[in-house]
Amino acid sequence: NAGVMQNPRHLVRRRGQEARLRCSPMKGHSHVYWYRQLPEEGLKFMVYLQKENIIDESGMPKERFSAEFPKEGPSILRIQQVVRGDSAAYFCASSPLIASTDTQYFGPGTRLTVL
Amino acid sequence: DQQVKQNSPSLSVQEGRISILNCDYTNSMFDYFLWYKKYPAEGPTFLISISSIKDKNEDGRFTVFLNKSAKHLSLHIVPSQPGDSAVYFCAVFKGGQNFVFGPGTRLSVLP
């Protein structure tokens, strides 16, 4: 049973380019969460999605960032016109149930570097 | 406004001794609490959890204690092993909302 998969593991972009981060949840999980970890900081919640729905995007910057979780395929976190401050590790997590005490299972993360 | 605090950014412990990691939260409505361990270049890994109806949960060398009146959570690791060296995050959860993570404590277990 494969765990949460993220790709790419490392992504380098120049300022102004777009970054696309992909997350495939664990089999049977229909809830996906994206977190960002800046250097020397903890995990900050960005967005919570179910299939085809954004449930909570309160942690996501209003501009340049978007997320989707289509009916088929992985969840995508998209950052347009990247800036140096976007350099961070982006983790996604998945869980099987909503509003439950089920644990979130994390992927290995995508490390984004903006030059 | 930090809802979850881990006031010790780092902790060093001798192998075989007890490691105690602490976490404080501000909202008494949180009802589920977890600890995650994170190695460099990897995602966080679930370690142990406790619900608000309990005050202690044990799993092998790991025990989590919850003091609801003090809004305080702690993780005890005994005996500590060098492989326990990692960053430990506490996370809190309220049904219908999202996990809130603390900033982490870096544990170093010295051989």
Side-chain angles (χ1 to χ4, degrees), chain A residues 1-8 21-34 51 68-69 72-77 91-95 105-108 110:
Chain A
N1 183 19
V4 177
M5 299 176 69
Q6 289 187 251
N7 68 81
L21 290 66
R22 295 175 194 78
C23 170
S24 296
M26 285 180 71
K27 188 176 180 181
H29 287 193
S30 56
H31 302 266
V32 166
Y33 309 80
W34 284 94
K51 285 284 187 181
E68 62 176 13
F69 188 16
E72 301 291 337
S75 174
I76 307 284
L77 178 67
F91 293 95
C92 90
S94 72
S95 70
Y105 296 88
F106 282 82
T110 294

PDB file of all heavy atoms in Angstrom, chain A residues 1-8 21-34 51 68-69 72-77 91-95 105-108 110:
ATOM      1  N   ASN A   1       0.851  -1.180   0.000  1.00  0.00           N
ATOM      2  CA  ASN A   1       0.000   0.000   0.000  1.00  0.00           C
ATOM      3  C   ASN A   1       0.889   1.233   0.000  1.00  0.00           C
ATOM      4  O   ASN A   1       1.539   1.546   0.980  1.00  0.00           O
ATOM      5  CB  ASN A   1      -0.896  -0.011   1.228  1.00  0.00           C
ATOM      6  CG  ASN A   1      -1.863   1.155   1.242  1.00  0.00           C
ATOM      7  OD1 ASN A   1      -2.111   1.751   0.204  1.00  0.00           O
ATOM      8  ND2 ASN A   1      -2.388   1.469   2.409  1.00  0.00           N
ATOM      9  N   ALA A   2       0.954   1.889  -1.136  1.00  0.00           N
ATOM     10  CA  ALA A   2       1.844   3.033  -1.262  1.00  0.00           C
ATOM     11  C   ALA A   2       1.362   4.150  -0.361  1.00  0.00           C
ATOM     12  O   ALA A   2       0.167   4.348  -0.153  1.00  0.00           O
ATOM     13  CB  ALA A   2       1.896   3.507  -2.713  1.00  0.00           C
ATOM     14  N   GLY A   3       2.303   4.906   0.156  1.00  0.00           N
ATOM     15  CA  GLY A   3       1.972   6.051   0.972  1.00  0.00           C
ATOM     16  C   GLY A   3       1.635   7.244   0.102  1.00  0.00           C
ATOM     17  O   GLY A   3       1.419   7.124  -1.108  1.00  0.00           O
ATOM     18  N   VAL A   4       1.619   8.412   0.727  1.00  0.00           N
ATOM     19  CA  VAL A   4       1.354   9.641  -0.006  1.00  0.00           C
ATOM     20  C   VAL A   4       2.564   9.941  -0.889  1.00  0.00           C
ATOM     21  O   VAL A   4       3.699   9.890  -0.428  1.00  0.00           O
ATOM     22  CB  VAL A   4       1.110  10.806   0.970  1.00  0.00           C
ATOM     23  CG1 VAL A   4       0.897  12.099   0.206  1.00  0.00           C
ATOM     24  CG2 VAL A   4      -0.065  10.499   1.882  1.00  0.00           C
ATOM     25  N   MET A   5       2.302  10.239  -2.127  1.00  0.00           N
ATOM     26  CA  MET A   5       3.390  10.498  -3.058  1.00  0.00           C
ATOM     27  C   MET A   5       3.355  11.945  -3.513  1.00  0.00           C
ATOM     28  O   MET A   5       2.281  12.484  -3.815  1.00  0.00           O
ATOM     29  CB  MET A   5       3.294   9.551  -4.248  1.00  0.00           C
ATOM     30  CG  MET A   5       3.392   8.084  -3.833  1.00  0.00           C
ATOM     31  SD  MET A   5       3.170   6.955  -5.194  1.00  0.00           S
ATOM     32  CE  MET A   5       4.648   7.270  -6.120  1.00  0.00           C
ATOM     33  N   GLN A   6       4.518  12.533  -3.566  1.00  0.00           N
ATOM     34  CA  GLN A   6       4.630  13.904  -4.050  1.00  0.00           C
ATOM     35  C   GLN A   6       5.713  13.958  -5.116  1.00  0.00           C
ATOM     36  O   GLN A   6       6.760  13.340  -4.988  1.00  0.00           O
ATOM     37  CB  GLN A   6       5.011  14.866  -2.921  1.00  0.00           C
ATOM     38  CG  GLN A   6       3.900  15.101  -1.923  1.00  0.00           C
ATOM     39  CD  GLN A   6       4.241  16.172  -0.913  1.00  0.00           C
ATOM     40  OE1 GLN A   6       4.462  15.884   0.258  1.00  0.00           O
ATOM     41  NE2 GLN A   6       4.283  17.428  -1.389  1.00  0.00           N
ATOM     42  N   ASN A   7       5.439  14.737  -6.141  1.00  0.00           N
ATOM     43  CA  ASN A   7       6.499  14.990  -7.121  1.00  0.00           C
ATOM     44  C   ASN A   7       6.328  16.356  -7.740  1.00  0.00           C
ATOM     45  O   ASN A   7       5.224  16.906  -7.769  1.00  0.00           O
ATOM     46  CB  ASN A   7       6.514  13.886  -8.194  1.00  0.00           C
ATOM     47  CG  ASN A   7       5.281  13.923  -9.077  1.00  0.00           C
ATOM     48  OD1 ASN A   7       5.192  14.714 -10.026  1.00  0.00           O
ATOM     49  ND2 ASN A   7       4.310  13.096  -8.754  1.00  0.00           N
ATOM     50  N   PRO A   8       7.436  16.961  -8.130  1.00  0.00           N
ATOM     51  CA  PRO A   8       8.782  16.438  -7.947  1.00  0.00           C
ATOM     52  C   PRO A   8       9.247  16.578  -6.500  1.00  0.00           C
ATOM     53  O   PRO A   8       8.608  17.275  -5.723  1.00  0.00           O
ATOM     54  CB  PRO A   8       9.611  17.344  -8.879  1.00  0.00           C
ATOM     55  CG  PRO A   8       8.874  18.648  -8.856  1.00  0.00           C
ATOM     56  CD  PRO A   8       7.416  18.283  -8.785  1.00  0.00           C
ATOM     57  N   LEU A  21       3.081  21.619  -8.119  1.00  0.00           N
ATOM     58  CA  LEU A  21       3.443  20.552  -7.198  1.00  0.00           C
ATOM     59  C   LEU A  21       2.300  19.550  -7.175  1.00  0.00           C
ATOM     60  O   LEU A  21       1.129  19.932  -7.078  1.00  0.00           O
ATOM     61  CB  LEU A  21       3.673  21.121  -5.791  1.00  0.00           C
ATOM     62  CG  LEU A  21       4.913  21.987  -5.545  1.00  0.00           C
ATOM     63  CD1 LEU A  21       4.878  23.306  -6.312  1.00  0.00           C
ATOM     64  CD2 LEU A  21       5.054  22.266  -4.063  1.00  0.00           C
ATOM     65  N   ARG A  22       2.661  18.273  -7.237  1.00  0.00           N
ATOM     66  CA  ARG A  22       1.640  17.238  -7.331  1.00  0.00           C
ATOM     67  C   ARG A  22       1.638  16.360  -6.083  1.00  0.00           C
ATOM     68  O   ARG A  22       2.687  16.094  -5.490  1.00  0.00           O
ATOM     69  CB  ARG A  22       1.874  16.348  -8.555  1.00  0.00           C
ATOM     70  CG  ARG A  22       1.717  17.084  -9.876  1.00  0.00           C
ATOM     71  CD  ARG A  22       2.069  16.207 -11.049  1.00  0.00           C
ATOM     72  NE  ARG A  22       2.240  16.987 -12.257  1.00  0.00           N
ATOM     73  CZ  ARG A  22       3.316  17.688 -12.545  1.00  0.00           C
ATOM     74  NH1 ARG A  22       4.346  17.700 -11.704  1.00  0.00           N
ATOM     75  NH2 ARG A  22       3.382  18.380 -13.668  1.00  0.00           N
ATOM     76  N   CYS A  23       0.449  15.905  -5.740  1.00  0.00           N
ATOM     77  CA  CYS A  23       0.289  15.048  -4.569  1.00  0.00           C
ATOM     78  C   CYS A  23      -0.723  13.961  -4.871  1.00  0.00           C
ATOM     79  O   CYS A  23      -1.875  14.262  -5.234  1.00  0.00           O
ATOM     80  CB  CYS A  23      -0.175  15.879  -3.376  1.00  0.00           C
ATOM     81  SG  CYS A  23      -0.685  14.895  -1.957  1.00  0.00           S
ATOM     82  N   SER A  24      -0.305  12.725  -4.727  1.00  0.00           N
ATOM     83  CA  SER A  24      -1.216  11.594  -4.859  1.00  0.00           C
ATOM     84  C   SER A  24      -1.472  11.033  -3.471  1.00  0.00           C
ATOM     85  O   SER A  24      -0.535  10.553  -2.815  1.00  0.00           O
ATOM     86  CB  SER A  24      -0.618  10.521  -5.759  1.00  0.00           C
ATOM     87  OG  SER A  24      -0.452  11.015  -7.074  1.00  0.00           O
ATOM     88  N   PRO A  25      -2.712  11.098  -2.991  1.00  0.00           N
ATOM     89  CA  PRO A  25      -2.981  10.628  -1.630  1.00  0.00           C
ATOM     90  C   PRO A  25      -2.878   9.115  -1.528  1.00  0.00           C
ATOM     91  O   PRO A  25      -2.779   8.400  -2.532  1.00  0.00           O
ATOM     92  CB  PRO A  25      -4.417  11.089  -1.388  1.00  0.00           C
ATOM     93  CG  PRO A  25      -5.032  11.179  -2.746  1.00  0.00           C
ATOM     94  CD  PRO A  25      -3.909  11.594  -3.665  1.00  0.00           C
ATOM     95  N   MET A  26      -2.902   8.644  -0.323  1.00  0.00           N
ATOM     96  CA  MET A  26      -2.910   7.206  -0.090  1.00  0.00           C
ATOM     97  C   MET A  26      -4.184   6.610  -0.679  1.00  0.00           C
ATOM     98  O   MET A  26      -5.220   7.269  -0.745  1.00  0.00           O
ATOM     99  CB  MET A  26      -2.847   6.906   1.406  1.00  0.00           C
ATOM    100  CG  MET A  26      -1.480   7.124   2.016  1.00  0.00           C
ATOM    101  SD  MET A  26      -1.447   6.761   3.776  1.00  0.00           S
ATOM    102  CE  MET A  26      -1.595   4.975   3.745  1.00  0.00           C
ATOM    103  N   LYS A  27      -4.097   5.365  -1.052  1.00  0.00           N
ATOM    104  CA  LYS A  27      -5.247   4.672  -1.610  1.00  0.00           C
ATOM    105  C   LYS A  27      -6.388   4.696  -0.605  1.00  0.00           C
ATOM    106  O   LYS A  27      -6.209   4.389   0.578  1.00  0.00           O
ATOM    107  CB  LYS A  27      -4.862   3.236  -1.947  1.00  0.00           C
ATOM    108  CG  LYS A  27      -5.922   2.478  -2.716  1.00  0.00           C
ATOM    109  CD  LYS A  27      -5.431   1.089  -3.093  1.00  0.00           C
ATOM    110  CE  LYS A  27      -6.496   0.332  -3.878  1.00  0.00           C
ATOM    111  NZ  LYS A  27      -6.054  -1.031  -4.236  1.00  0.00           N
ATOM    112  N   GLY A  28      -7.552   5.086  -1.086  1.00  0.00           N
ATOM    113  CA  GLY A  28      -8.718   5.112  -0.213  1.00  0.00           C
ATOM    114  C   GLY A  28      -8.910   6.435   0.516  1.00  0.00           C
ATOM    115  O   GLY A  28      -9.917   6.632   1.184  1.00  0.00           O
ATOM    116  N   HIS A  29      -7.933   7.325   0.404  1.00  0.00           N
ATOM    117  CA  HIS A  29      -8.057   8.632   1.050  1.00  0.00           C
ATOM    118  C   HIS A  29      -8.637   9.630   0.063  1.00  0.00           C
ATOM    119  O   HIS A  29      -8.179   9.726  -1.078  1.00  0.00           O
ATOM    120  CB  HIS A  29      -6.689   9.127   1.528  1.00  0.00           C
ATOM    121  CG  HIS A  29      -6.178   8.400   2.713  1.00  0.00           C
ATOM    122  ND1 HIS A  29      -5.102   8.862   3.450  1.00  0.00           N
ATOM    123  CD2 HIS A  29      -6.570   7.254   3.309  1.00  0.00           C
ATOM    124  CE1 HIS A  29      -4.873   8.026   4.444  1.00  0.00           C
ATOM    125  NE2 HIS A  29      -5.738   7.041   4.368  1.00  0.00           N
ATOM    126  N   SER A  30      -9.610  10.404   0.546  1.00  0.00           N
ATOM    127  CA  SER A  30     -10.226  11.377  -0.356  1.00  0.00           C
ATOM    128  C   SER A  30     -10.057  12.805   0.139  1.00  0.00           C
ATOM    129  O   SER A  30     -10.693  13.727  -0.385  1.00  0.00           O
ATOM    130  CB  SER A  30     -11.715  11.059  -0.517  1.00  0.00           C
ATOM    131  OG  SER A  30     -12.342  11.020   0.758  1.00  0.00           O
ATOM    132  N   HIS A  31      -9.223  12.973   1.167  1.00  0.00           N
ATOM    133  CA  HIS A  31      -9.003  14.304   1.706  1.00  0.00           C
ATOM    134  C   HIS A  31      -7.526  14.623   1.615  1.00  0.00           C
ATOM    135  O   HIS A  31      -6.682  13.820   2.009  1.00  0.00           O
ATOM    136  CB  HIS A  31      -9.455  14.364   3.164  1.00  0.00           C
ATOM    137  CG  HIS A  31     -10.893  13.990   3.326  1.00  0.00           C
ATOM    138  ND1 HIS A  31     -11.900  14.919   3.350  1.00  0.00           N
ATOM    139  CD2 HIS A  31     -11.492  12.782   3.446  1.00  0.00           C
ATOM    140  CE1 HIS A  31     -13.063  14.298   3.475  1.00  0.00           C
ATOM    141  NE2 HIS A  31     -12.842  13.012   3.535  1.00  0.00           N
ATOM    142  N   VAL A  32      -7.231  15.796   1.107  1.00  0.00           N
ATOM    143  CA  VAL A  32      -5.848  16.218   0.919  1.00  0.00           C
ATOM    144  C   VAL A  32      -5.628  17.578   1.570  1.00  0.00           C
ATOM    145  O   VAL A  32      -6.482  18.463   1.487  1.00  0.00           O
ATOM    146  CB  VAL A  32      -5.499  16.294  -0.590  1.00  0.00           C
ATOM    147  CG1 VAL A  32      -4.199  17.047  -0.810  1.00  0.00           C
ATOM    148  CG2 VAL A  32      -5.389  14.895  -1.186  1.00  0.00           C
ATOM    149  N   TYR A  33      -4.489  17.699   2.206  1.00  0.00           N
ATOM    150  CA  TYR A  33      -4.111  18.940   2.879  1.00  0.00           C
ATOM    151  C   TYR A  33      -2.735  19.353   2.366  1.00  0.00           C
ATOM    152  O   TYR A  33      -1.859  18.515   2.191  1.00  0.00           O
ATOM    153  CB  TYR A  33      -4.024  18.720   4.395  1.00  0.00           C
ATOM    154  CG  TYR A  33      -5.231  18.053   5.002  1.00  0.00           C
ATOM    155  CD1 TYR A  33      -5.402  16.672   4.921  1.00  0.00           C
ATOM    156  CD2 TYR A  33      -6.195  18.797   5.670  1.00  0.00           C
ATOM    157  CE1 TYR A  33      -6.510  16.052   5.473  1.00  0.00           C
ATOM    158  CE2 TYR A  33      -7.302  18.169   6.240  1.00  0.00           C
ATOM    159  CZ  TYR A  33      -7.452  16.814   6.136  1.00  0.00           C
ATOM    160  OH  TYR A  33      -8.545  16.208   6.683  1.00  0.00           O
ATOM    161  N   TRP A  34      -2.561  20.632   2.176  1.00  0.00           N
ATOM    162  CA  TRP A  34      -1.243  21.158   1.792  1.00  0.00           C
ATOM    163  C   TRP A  34      -0.721  22.040   2.927  1.00  0.00           C
ATOM    164  O   TRP A  34      -1.456  22.857   3.492  1.00  0.00           O
ATOM    165  CB  TRP A  34      -1.345  21.984   0.509  1.00  0.00           C
ATOM    166  CG  TRP A  34      -1.482  21.158  -0.746  1.00  0.00           C
ATOM    167  CD1 TRP A  34      -2.641  20.799  -1.369  1.00  0.00           C
ATOM    168  CD2 TRP A  34      -0.420  20.615  -1.531  1.00  0.00           C
ATOM    169  NE1 TRP A  34      -2.362  20.059  -2.495  1.00  0.00           N
ATOM    170  CE2 TRP A  34      -1.016  19.932  -2.621  1.00  0.00           C
ATOM    171  CE3 TRP A  34       0.973  20.631  -1.434  1.00  0.00           C
ATOM    172  CZ2 TRP A  34      -0.262  19.274  -3.594  1.00  0.00           C
ATOM    173  CZ3 TRP A  34       1.708  19.979  -2.406  1.00  0.00           C
ATOM    174  CH2 TRP A  34       1.105  19.316  -3.477  1.00  0.00           C
ATOM    175  N   LYS A  51     -12.234  15.651  -3.074  1.00  0.00           N
ATOM    176  CA  LYS A  51     -12.345  15.487  -4.523  1.00  0.00           C
ATOM    177  C   LYS A  51     -13.236  16.581  -5.115  1.00  0.00           C
ATOM    178  O   LYS A  51     -14.402  16.717  -4.745  1.00  0.00           O
ATOM    179  CB  LYS A  51     -12.939  14.126  -4.853  1.00  0.00           C
ATOM    180  CG  LYS A  51     -11.979  12.973  -4.676  1.00  0.00           C
ATOM    181  CD  LYS A  51     -10.982  12.909  -5.802  1.00  0.00           C
ATOM    182  CE  LYS A  51     -10.121  11.654  -5.701  1.00  0.00           C
ATOM    183  NZ  LYS A  51      -9.116  11.585  -6.786  1.00  0.00           N
ATOM    184  N   GLU A  68      -6.078  22.420  -6.523  1.00  0.00           N
ATOM    185  CA  GLU A  68      -7.202  21.656  -7.016  1.00  0.00           C
ATOM    186  C   GLU A  68      -6.992  20.184  -6.694  1.00  0.00           C
ATOM    187  O   GLU A  68      -5.866  19.725  -6.493  1.00  0.00           O
ATOM    188  CB  GLU A  68      -7.369  21.845  -8.521  1.00  0.00           C
ATOM    189  CG  GLU A  68      -6.190  21.376  -9.355  1.00  0.00           C
ATOM    190  CD  GLU A  68      -6.433  21.501 -10.846  1.00  0.00           C
ATOM    191  OE1 GLU A  68      -7.400  22.162 -11.253  1.00  0.00           O
ATOM    192  OE2 GLU A  68      -5.654  20.916 -11.613  1.00  0.00           O
ATOM    193  N   PHE A  69      -8.087  19.467  -6.670  1.00  0.00           N
ATOM    194  CA  PHE A  69      -8.049  18.025  -6.454  1.00  0.00           C
ATOM    195  C   PHE A  69      -9.138  17.450  -7.356  1.00  0.00           C
ATOM    196  O   PHE A  69     -10.281  17.285  -6.948  1.00  0.00           O
ATOM    197  CB  PHE A  69      -8.315  17.703  -4.988  1.00  0.00           C
ATOM    198  CG  PHE A  69      -8.107  16.270  -4.608  1.00  0.00           C
ATOM    199  CD1 PHE A  69      -7.408  15.378  -5.420  1.00  0.00           C
ATOM    200  CD2 PHE A  69      -8.602  15.786  -3.413  1.00  0.00           C
ATOM    201  CE1 PHE A  69      -7.208  14.055  -5.055  1.00  0.00           C
ATOM    202  CE2 PHE A  69      -8.411  14.463  -3.025  1.00  0.00           C
ATOM    203  CZ  PHE A  69      -7.722  13.607  -3.852  1.00  0.00           C
ATOM    204  N   GLU A  72     -10.242  12.804 -11.125  1.00  0.00           N
ATOM    205  CA  GLU A  72      -9.213  11.845 -11.501  1.00  0.00           C
ATOM    206  C   GLU A  72      -7.855  12.528 -11.412  1.00  0.00           C
ATOM    207  O   GLU A  72      -7.711  13.665 -11.847  1.00  0.00           O
ATOM    208  CB  GLU A  72      -9.448  11.338 -12.934  1.00  0.00           C
ATOM    209  CG  GLU A  72     -10.799  10.663 -13.152  1.00  0.00           C
ATOM    210  CD  GLU A  72     -10.906   9.335 -12.431  1.00  0.00           C
ATOM    211  OE1 GLU A  72      -9.853   8.741 -12.137  1.00  0.00           O
ATOM    212  OE2 GLU A  72     -12.045   8.900 -12.155  1.00  0.00           O
ATOM    213  N   GLY A  73      -6.879  11.829 -10.898  1.00  0.00           N
ATOM    214  CA  GLY A  73      -5.545  12.380 -10.882  1.00  0.00           C
ATOM    215  C   GLY A  73      -5.170  12.995  -9.550  1.00  0.00           C
ATOM    216  O   GLY A  73      -5.971  13.061  -8.614  1.00  0.00           O
ATOM    217  N   PRO A  74      -3.927  13.478  -9.485  1.00  0.00           N
ATOM    218  CA  PRO A  74      -3.420  13.981  -8.214  1.00  0.00           C
ATOM    219  C   PRO A  74      -3.952  15.370  -7.880  1.00  0.00           C
ATOM    220  O   PRO A  74      -4.524  16.068  -8.726  1.00  0.00           O
ATOM    221  CB  PRO A  74      -1.909  14.040  -8.463  1.00  0.00           C
ATOM    222  CG  PRO A  74      -1.782  14.309  -9.931  1.00  0.00           C
ATOM    223  CD  PRO A  74      -2.917  13.557 -10.571  1.00  0.00           C
ATOM    224  N   SER A  75      -3.719  15.759  -6.646  1.00  0.00           N
ATOM    225  CA  SER A  75      -3.977  17.142  -6.261  1.00  0.00           C
ATOM    226  C   SER A  75      -2.803  17.993  -6.753  1.00  0.00           C
ATOM    227  O   SER A  75      -1.657  17.549  -6.753  1.00  0.00           O
ATOM    228  CB  SER A  75      -4.101  17.245  -4.742  1.00  0.00           C
ATOM    229  OG  SER A  75      -4.224  18.600  -4.348  1.00  0.00           O
ATOM    230  N   ILE A  76      -3.107  19.199  -7.169  1.00  0.00           N
ATOM    231  CA  ILE A  76      -2.081  20.103  -7.682  1.00  0.00           C
ATOM    232  C   ILE A  76      -2.095  21.389  -6.864  1.00  0.00           C
ATOM    233  O   ILE A  76      -3.151  21.986  -6.646  1.00  0.00           O
ATOM    234  CB  ILE A  76      -2.343  20.480  -9.153  1.00  0.00           C
ATOM    235  CG1 ILE A  76      -2.516  19.240 -10.032  1.00  0.00           C
ATOM    236  CG2 ILE A  76      -1.239  21.402  -9.672  1.00  0.00           C
ATOM    237  CD1 ILE A  76      -1.242  18.521 -10.355  1.00  0.00           C
ATOM    238  N   LEU A  77      -0.910  21.778  -6.425  1.00  0.00           N
ATOM    239  CA  LEU A  77      -0.732  23.108  -5.832  1.00  0.00           C
ATOM    240  C   LEU A  77       0.050  23.921  -6.863  1.00  0.00           C
ATOM    241  O   LEU A  77       1.130  23.519  -7.287  1.00  0.00           O
ATOM    242  CB  LEU A  77       0.041  23.023  -4.518  1.00  0.00           C
ATOM    243  CG  LEU A  77       0.335  24.374  -3.838  1.00  0.00           C
ATOM    244  CD1 LEU A  77      -0.969  25.020  -3.343  1.00  0.00           C
ATOM    245  CD2 LEU A  77       1.295  24.199  -2.666  1.00  0.00           C
ATOM    246  N   PHE A  91       4.491  20.284   1.827  1.00  0.00           N
ATOM    247  CA  PHE A  91       4.084  18.926   2.152  1.00  0.00           C
ATOM    248  C   PHE A  91       2.593  18.771   1.911  1.00  0.00           C
ATOM    249  O   PHE A  91       1.809  19.669   2.202  1.00  0.00           O
ATOM    250  CB  PHE A  91       4.358  18.611   3.624  1.00  0.00           C
ATOM    251  CG  PHE A  91       5.816  18.567   3.965  1.00  0.00           C
ATOM    252  CD1 PHE A  91       6.457  19.682   4.483  1.00  0.00           C
ATOM    253  CD2 PHE A  91       6.551  17.403   3.761  1.00  0.00           C
ATOM    254  CE1 PHE A  91       7.804  19.645   4.792  1.00  0.00           C
ATOM    255  CE2 PHE A  91       7.895  17.360   4.063  1.00  0.00           C
ATOM    256  CZ  PHE A  91       8.531  18.481   4.578  1.00  0.00           C
ATOM    257  N   CYS A  92       2.222  17.613   1.400  1.00  0.00           N
ATOM    258  CA  CYS A  92       0.815  17.315   1.381  1.00  0.00           C
ATOM    259  C   CYS A  92       0.575  16.126   2.296  1.00  0.00           C
ATOM    260  O   CYS A  92       1.479  15.337   2.581  1.00  0.00           O
ATOM    261  CB  CYS A  92       0.280  17.087  -0.021  1.00  0.00           C
ATOM    262  SG  CYS A  92       0.323  15.420  -0.623  1.00  0.00           S
ATOM    263  N   ALA A  93      -0.628  16.055   2.795  1.00  0.00           N
ATOM    264  CA  ALA A  93      -1.047  14.969   3.668  1.00  0.00           C
ATOM    265  C   ALA A  93      -2.417  14.512   3.217  1.00  0.00           C
ATOM    266  O   ALA A  93      -3.170  15.271   2.598  1.00  0.00           O
ATOM    267  CB  ALA A  93      -1.090  15.427   5.123  1.00  0.00           C
ATOM    268  N   SER A  94      -2.738  13.268   3.517  1.00  0.00           N
ATOM    269  CA  SER A  94      -4.073  12.783   3.179  1.00  0.00           C
ATOM    270  C   SER A  94      -4.672  12.067   4.376  1.00  0.00           C
ATOM    271  O   SER A  94      -3.952  11.612   5.282  1.00  0.00           O
ATOM    272  CB  SER A  94      -4.030  11.850   1.966  1.00  0.00           C
ATOM    273  OG  SER A  94      -3.444  10.600   2.277  1.00  0.00           O
ATOM    274  N   SER A  95      -5.989  12.029   4.393  1.00  0.00           N
ATOM    275  CA  SER A  95      -6.698  11.295   5.443  1.00  0.00           C
ATOM    276  C   SER A  95      -7.956  10.703   4.839  1.00  0.00           C
ATOM    277  O   SER A  95      -8.463  11.189   3.824  1.00  0.00           O
ATOM    278  CB  SER A  95      -7.040  12.211   6.622  1.00  0.00           C
ATOM    279  OG  SER A  95      -8.044  13.130   6.266  1.00  0.00           O
ATOM    280  N   TYR A 105      -1.595  11.567   6.979  1.00  0.00           N
ATOM    281  CA  TYR A 105      -0.365  10.896   6.565  1.00  0.00           C
ATOM    282  C   TYR A 105       0.325  11.775   5.538  1.00  0.00           C
ATOM    283  O   TYR A 105      -0.282  12.164   4.543  1.00  0.00           O
ATOM    284  CB  TYR A 105      -0.687   9.517   5.989  1.00  0.00           C
ATOM    285  CG  TYR A 105      -1.284   8.596   7.010  1.00  0.00           C
ATOM    286  CD1 TYR A 105      -2.650   8.567   7.231  1.00  0.00           C
ATOM    287  CD2 TYR A 105      -0.473   7.769   7.782  1.00  0.00           C
ATOM    288  CE1 TYR A 105      -3.211   7.750   8.200  1.00  0.00           C
ATOM    289  CE2 TYR A 105      -1.030   6.937   8.743  1.00  0.00           C
ATOM    290  CZ  TYR A 105      -2.393   6.938   8.949  1.00  0.00           C
ATOM    291  OH  TYR A 105      -2.934   6.123   9.909  1.00  0.00           O
ATOM    292  N   PHE A 106       1.583  12.044   5.795  1.00  0.00           N
ATOM    293  CA  PHE A 106       2.308  13.013   4.996  1.00  0.00           C
ATOM    294  C   PHE A 106       3.131  12.376   3.886  1.00  0.00           C
ATOM    295  O   PHE A 106       3.658  11.273   4.040  1.00  0.00           O
ATOM    296  CB  PHE A 106       3.246  13.836   5.883  1.00  0.00           C
ATOM    297  CG  PHE A 106       2.543  14.903   6.663  1.00  0.00           C
ATOM    298  CD1 PHE A 106       1.901  14.594   7.852  1.00  0.00           C
ATOM    299  CD2 PHE A 106       2.498  16.208   6.201  1.00  0.00           C
ATOM    300  CE1 PHE A 106       1.236  15.575   8.580  1.00  0.00           C
ATOM    301  CE2 PHE A 106       1.840  17.196   6.924  1.00  0.00           C
ATOM    302  CZ  PHE A 106       1.213  16.879   8.109  1.00  0.00           C
ATOM    303  N   GLY A 107       3.252  13.115   2.817  1.00  0.00           N
ATOM    304  CA  GLY A 107       4.181  12.766   1.765  1.00  0.00           C
ATOM    305  C   GLY A 107       5.569  13.266   2.109  1.00  0.00           C
ATOM    306  O   GLY A 107       5.772  13.951   3.115  1.00  0.00           O
ATOM    307  N   PRO A 108       6.540  12.957   1.239  1.00  0.00           N
ATOM    308  CA  PRO A 108       7.932  13.338   1.529  1.00  0.00           C
ATOM    309  C   PRO A 108       8.236  14.802   1.275  1.00  0.00           C
ATOM    310  O   PRO A 108       9.297  15.289   1.650  1.00  0.00           O
ATOM    311  CB  PRO A 108       8.729  12.446   0.579  1.00  0.00           C
ATOM    312  CG  PRO A 108       7.797  12.217  -0.559  1.00  0.00           C
ATOM    313  CD  PRO A 108       6.429  12.156   0.029  1.00  0.00           C
ATOM    314  N   THR A 110       7.886  18.471  -1.357  1.00  0.00           N
ATOM    315  CA  THR A 110       8.560  19.042  -2.525  1.00  0.00           C
ATOM    316  C   THR A 110       9.310  20.267  -2.042  1.00  0.00           C
ATOM    317  O   THR A 110       8.725  21.167  -1.443  1.00  0.00           O
ATOM    318  CB  THR A 110       7.562  19.467  -3.615  1.00  0.00           C
ATOM    319  OG1 THR A 110       6.921  18.319  -4.149  1.00  0.00           O
ATOM    320  CG2 THR A 110       8.279  20.221  -4.740  1.00  0.00           C
TER     321      THR A 110
END
